[in-house]
Amino acid sequence: MLSIGYFASQLPSGVIWTLAADIAPGEQVASLGAIQNFGGFLGAACAPIVTGYILDTTGSFNNVFLLGAGLLLLGAVSYGIFLKKPIPKTA
């Protein structure tokens, strides 16, 4: 199940990488991509710390998985709210 879950979580990565090029003007694609990567790296750096704290406090992985599921839903809703339509490209 973990292998299937990891595989499924990596399926949209190609689409996410093209997101910056689709919604940002040509001269700002790299900046938006860098901001997007920073958010991912920040989450990756905080995840083990938060996981360890929750596990140490509760002694169970249940709350860790619930937090992960909640953050995934928050991310999906954020894309739906913030990405209404692409910004027109300037030549």
Side-chain angles (χ1 to χ4, degrees):
M1 293 305 290
L2 286 174
S3 296
I4 292 170
Y6 185 71
F7 173 77
S9 74
Q10 295 305 310
L11 280 176
S13 30
V15 175
I16 291 172
W17 275 103
T18 63
L19 185 64
D22 286 343
I23 66 169
E27 66 276 1
Q28 296 177 351
V29 171
S31 297
L32 183 59
I35 292 169
Q36 180 178 321
N37 285 336
F38 175 75
F41 294 146
L42 188 63
C46 293
I49 297 167
V50 172
T51 300
Y53 177 77
I54 292 172
L55 186 60
D56 189 46
T57 304
T58 65
S60 172
F61 277 102
N62 289 340
N63 291 332
V64 175
F65 290 131
L66 290 173
L67 176 63
L71 291 173
L72 285 171
L73 289 173
L74 178 66
V77 169
S78 295
Y79 275 112
I81 291 173
F82 295 118
L83 298 179
K84 295 295 183 193
K85 61 182 179 177
I87 298 171
K89 299 284 184 194
T90 56

